[in-house]
Amino acid sequence: MMLHIPNVLGAEQVARCRDVMERASWADGRITAGYQSGQVKKNLQLPESSPEARELGDLVLAGLEKSALFISAVLPQRVFPPLFNRYEPGMTFGSHVDNAIRRIPGTPDRVRTDVSATLFISEPDSYDGGELVVEDTYGSHAVKLPAGDLIIYPATSLHHVTPVTRGVRLASFFWVQSMVRDVSRRALLFDMDTAIQQLTQEVPRSPALVMLTGTYHNLLRQWAEP
């Protein structure tokens, strides 16, 4: 399931991200790439242990916690600490699939990458190129969102970032381990939760709504992993 989640960060948070990122020291983006993706990755990245990355990572995580749409769609169990990248003219990231398991630096903990996410920090009219292109059974989908908006998609998807030809593309990217590993089951639960929320507005006292809500939680109880 691929989903656009608006306003994860507000204008004030986006401005703070840009300010910190403009003053930060950047490293070669291949520092977090696997062998295969490292062959096609040409961008810059904030070092994971830098104070700037930690401050902005906390900002992104706080935004995710407030996003009901993100929580409903992803059912997060664990979020990998957000990373931040920078694409200048000529920079790109060729086709690749994200690693299945990511170790959280400085800890023994690992995250299974069920869902990939990109949070746009630059406004789309401030740079040319730099579209995130995700490939699935329905074709290729080019994504370039307003600053503060998030795109999520299955981490199993082949994807790439087209070359930037003007300006600078700033973004955050991270992965999520969901309580429900199977993407089709997550999509079903998301559709059901969306219907429940709509019916809550339209027929809040319907006994059928109580039954549907119970079915949602029983399915989640059956499919969720500890």
Side-chain angles (χ1 to χ4, degrees), residues 124-150:
D125 61 358
S126 70
Y127 62 99
D128 293 332
E131 291 87 358
L132 171 67
V133 180
V134 180
E135 301 177 29
D136 60 21
T137 55
Y138 299 101
S140 297
H141 311 277
V143 182
K144 191 174 184 179
L145 300 180
D149 286 13
L150 178 74

Side-chain angles (χ1 to χ4, degrees), residues 91-162:
M91 293 185 176
T92 185
F93 197 167
S95 292
H96 64 285
V97 173
D98 294 331
N99 292 345
I101 304 293
R102 306 283 307 200
R103 185 178 66 83
I104 298 178
T107 77
D109 299 329
R110 289 174 169 79
V111 172
R112 186 185 66 238
T113 59
D114 298 322
V115 178
S116 294
T118 296
L119 176 64
F120 290 79
I121 295 172
S122 296
E123 291 293 355
D125 61 358
S126 70
Y127 62 99
D128 293 332
E131 291 87 358
L132 171 67
V133 180
V134 180
E135 301 177 29
D136 60 21
T137 55
Y138 299 101
S140 297
H141 311 277
V143 182
K144 191 174 184 179
L145 300 180
D149 286 13
L150 178 74
I151 188 74
I152 60 169
Y153 56 96
T156 53
S157 304
L158 189 68
H159 58 282
H160 66 274
V161 176
T162 64

Side-chain angles (χ1 to χ4, degrees), residues 23 26 39 43 47 55 72 84 96-97 101 110 114 124 127 136 138 141 145 151 177 183 187-188 193 195 204 207 213:
R23 293 184 286 104
W26 295 83
Q39 308 305 304
N43 64 8
E55 176 191 344
S72 176
F84 299 86
H96 64 285
V97 173
I101 304 293
R110 289 174 169 79
D114 298 322
Y127 62 99
D136 60 21
Y138 299 101
H141 311 277
L145 300 180
I151 188 74
Q177 179 171 324
V183 62
L188 178 63
D193 189 32
T213 302

Side-chain angles (χ1 to χ4, degrees), residues 14 19 33 38 61-62 69 91 109 128 138 182 188 198 204 206 211 218:
V14 168
D19 181 58
L61 291 174
L69 183 57
M91 293 185 176
D109 299 329
D128 293 332
Y138 299 101
D182 184 80
L188 178 63
Q198 183 175 343
S206 171
M211 294 176 63
N218 286 334

Side-chain angles (χ1 to χ4, degrees), residues 174-202:
F174 53 93
W175 302 271
V176 185
Q177 179 171 324
S178 175
M179 291 185 289
V180 177
R181 183 192 306 226
D182 184 80
V183 62
S184 62
R185 290 178 174 177
R186 283 201 310 274
L188 178 63
L189 288 167
F190 175 65
D191 288 344
M192 188 177 294
D193 189 32
T194 300
I196 289 169
Q197 293 180 51
Q198 183 175 343
L199 289 171
T200 299
Q201 298 297 319
E202 296 175 357

